[in-house]
């Protein structure tokens, strides 16, 4: 068996810190949206305030259960 290296341990520690902070917002989101239709979003979502930003396209697949 190979033991995890230091970057792996750091990544694991970061996830251990992050995941508990996501539970409450996720539960609040479920409580607010359960039984509701999906809200419409724009085709393009951008945080760029000017037209000079470098463009990047990302496809996102959402799985609902």
């Amino acid at each position: 068996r190979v033991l995890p290296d230091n970057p792996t341990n750091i990544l694991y520690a970061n996830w251990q810190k992050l995941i508990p902070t996501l539970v409450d917002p996720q539960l609040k989101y479920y409580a607010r949206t359960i039984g509701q239709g999906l809200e419409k979003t724009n085709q393009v979502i951008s945080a760029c305030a000017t037209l000079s930003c470098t463009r990047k396209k990302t496809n996102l697949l959402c799985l609902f259960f």
Side-chain angles (χ1 to χ4, degrees):
R1 176 175 170 200
V2 178
L3 295 175
D5 58 2
N6 194 43
T8 302
N9 288 330
I10 292 170
L11 180 63
Y12 180 74
N14 287 340
W15 277 110
Q16 278 189 307
K17 287 184 226 169
L18 176 65
I19 289 175
T21 67
L22 301 175
V23 172
D24 190 49
Q26 184 70 32
L27 291 174
K28 287 179 181 176
Y29 172 78
Y30 283 154
R32 189 179 77 239
T33 61
I34 196 157
Q36 304 293 320
L38 296 176
E39 59 182 67
K40 300 272 183 186
T41 58
N42 294 329
Q43 289 288 356
V44 177
I45 300 172
S46 177
C48 183
T50 67
L51 297 176
S52 63
C53 299
T54 304
R55 292 182 180 211
K56 178 181 175 184
K57 180 178 178 180
T58 302
N59 293 320
L60 177 66
L61 173 66
C62 298
L63 302 176
F64 296 96
F65 58 93

